[in-house]
Amino acid sequence: MVERTAVYPGSYDPLTNGHIDIIERGLKLFDRIIVTALKNPSKTYLFSLEERIEIMNETFRGRKNIEIDYFEGLLADYLVRKNTFTVVRGLRAISDFEIEFQMALMNRTIKNDIETIFLVPSISYSFLSSKLVKEIYKFGGEIRSMVPDVVDRKLKEKYALK
Ligand code: PNS
């Protein structure tokens, strides 16, 4: 039987329950999901690539159908290296649509085999983003229901150091 694999790319700075929700939904359609974090040297992240990967490894430890990886440069080139041409992305709201539509078409322009599948998260995560999680945490808000435990712990460590 041919294994159906999809790639779920993102910044994952940090991983949220919204991402996890999309991964679990994706696994209803695919046998394996490769969750791959972008390494972009010209972007400032709160969590280093190593930390983002560590968070994902800890969250999905023992899950044989979830592979954690990273990529640098074009997603299309990464997909060619992985010989996997299906991309999964989450669509939270209409506002996500335009940029996602552009990215899907741009990826397909670069490599015609690339298909992008959009999954809709649970309504309770449709307002959630890594950016908002960081902002809420920074200003003393409660984020425990929005992220896996490891992220809550790492955020505490990070801000305690500052
Ligand atoms: O979590 P994000 O920040 O919305 O993820 C965006 C990501 C990483 C999927 C996107 O920026 C990306 O694929 N970057 C790699 C560069 C690339 O391939 N650009 C051309 C296609 S738009």
Side-chain angles (χ1 to χ4, degrees):
M1 200 188 84
V2 177
E3 194 183 59
R4 292 164 308 167
T5 303
V7 168
Y8 182 30
S11 299
Y12 302 113
D13 184 36
L15 182 75
T16 69
N17 288 345
H19 295 125
I20 297 173
D21 183 69
I22 294 294
I23 293 164
E24 299 298 355
R25 287 175 199 282
L27 284 170
K28 293 181 193 165
L29 303 173
F30 298 95
D31 301 308
R32 197 163 69 101
I33 300 230
I34 304 171
V35 185
T36 189
L38 176 65
K39 178 183 180 187
N40 182 351
S42 52
K43 196 174 157 187
T44 308
Y45 297 96
L46 177 65
F47 290 99
S48 68
L49 178 71
E50 291 69 26
E51 289 171 320
R52 289 181 281 144
I53 298 272
E54 194 187 320
I55 286 168
M56 296 201 282
N57 278 332
E58 192 169 328
T59 304
F60 299 114
R61 185 169 296 141
R63 298 288 301 268
K64 291 193 168 45
N65 49 3
I66 301 173
E67 179 185 328
I68 307 301
D69 198 11
Y70 72 92
F71 73 107
E72 203 172 347
L74 288 179
L75 177 64
D77 290 339
Y78 174 80
L79 295 170
V80 170
R81 286 199 297 281
K82 285 288 187 181
N83 198 29
T84 300
F85 298 97
T86 308
V87 176
V88 165
R89 292 283 289 170
L91 267 191
R92 288 163 300 191
I94 304 288
S95 52
D96 279 345
F97 181 76
E98 192 165 349
I99 179 74
E100 293 297 336
F101 187 69
Q102 275 177 6
M103 283 202 290
L105 285 177
M106 190 52 80
N107 282 326
R108 190 190 279 156
T109 303
I110 299 169
K111 175 88 184 146
N112 193 41
D113 296 338
I114 299 174
E115 298 294 346
T116 304
I117 307 257
F118 295 109
L119 295 177
V120 176
S122 157
I123 198 152
S124 49
Y125 299 132
S126 52
F127 59 91
L128 188 56
S129 71
S130 300
K131 185 171 167 252
L132 284 183
V133 163
K134 287 180 281 192
E135 198 166 295
I136 293 167
Y137 190 84
K138 198 170 144 192
F139 293 113
E142 188 49 71
I143 50 116
R144 254 178 305 187
S145 62
M146 303 174 195
V147 293
D149 289 347
V150 52
V151 170
D152 186 48
R153 205 174 67 235
K154 296 260 180 210
L155 278 168
K156 281 199 180 91
E157 285 167 15
K158 199 161 271 291
Y159 283 102
L161 291 175
K162 281 190 175 169

